[in-house]
Amino acid sequence: VTGGQTCGLPIYGVFKVQPSSGVELSTVYLFMTDRWTDEDLPLSYIFGTVESMGDMPIQARSSGPSMESRLAMGDVANAFKRTLYVTSFDNLLAATRVEDSSTSVMDSLTEVNTEEALGRIQAFVPTVSDMDDPSAVRQMRADMMAAVSVLNRIPCRQDGNASLTSTSMNEECVSEKTDVRANLLRSFVIIDTT
């Protein structure tokens, strides 16, 4: 800061996500950014996804220029593409954002029944001992966010179909989804308060 003025926003760097395609909840995507420049160092970053309801950060602002995360399915109408972003902050919190819409994340629920889908999601609920490893906590939180998104797509129709016109709900499925969601939420609370 000179004379009460900032030196400006971070100057665009490179943002890549690898691999360029995969399957939700299975593929681990590596978010990487580098070559940012700014006079007000150090830089920090937020990686996230663009959702219909707004931006969804995958991690809190961090000095790390990379992170790994599983993702939920992309837009069916757009070849399963996801819009992902990185926002770079300087030490004065001036920010610049770069988006990428080239990553495809395929549906993982097409060929599975509701019970199997719920089991896959329940596997993302960490144990207490998992949370003892600080280096793994950031990855767990990101994976749980993707799991919640997939959980919200599981139908609990009486006939087992994903038919949105069916009004008869399978109460056992609804109960199991509620339990899985509660376990994920408890895990978020534990992670966010430790």
Side-chain angles (χ1 to χ4, degrees), residues 136-154:
V137 168
R138 185 169 79 167
Q139 170 87 38
M140 281 187 275
R141 189 175 201 299
D143 290 346
M144 289 188 321
M145 288 175 64
V148 168
S149 181
V150 175
L151 179 66
N152 291 335
R153 291 194 351 259
I154 296 175

Side-chain angles (χ1 to χ4, degrees), residues 53-97:
M53 66 208 156
D55 292 347
M56 179 67 65
I58 295 175
Q59 71 168 26
R61 194 164 44 92
S62 165
S63 62
S66 66
M67 69 159 293
E68 293 182 332
S69 180
R70 289 174 178 82
L71 297 169
M73 178 179 79
D75 181 5
V76 175
N78 190 24
F80 294 96
K81 300 287 188 199
R82 295 293 318 245
T83 301
L84 309 170
Y85 70 88
V86 62
T87 304
S88 176
F89 297 85
D90 66 18
N91 72 347
L92 301 174
L93 300 182
T96 302
R97 174 176 161 142

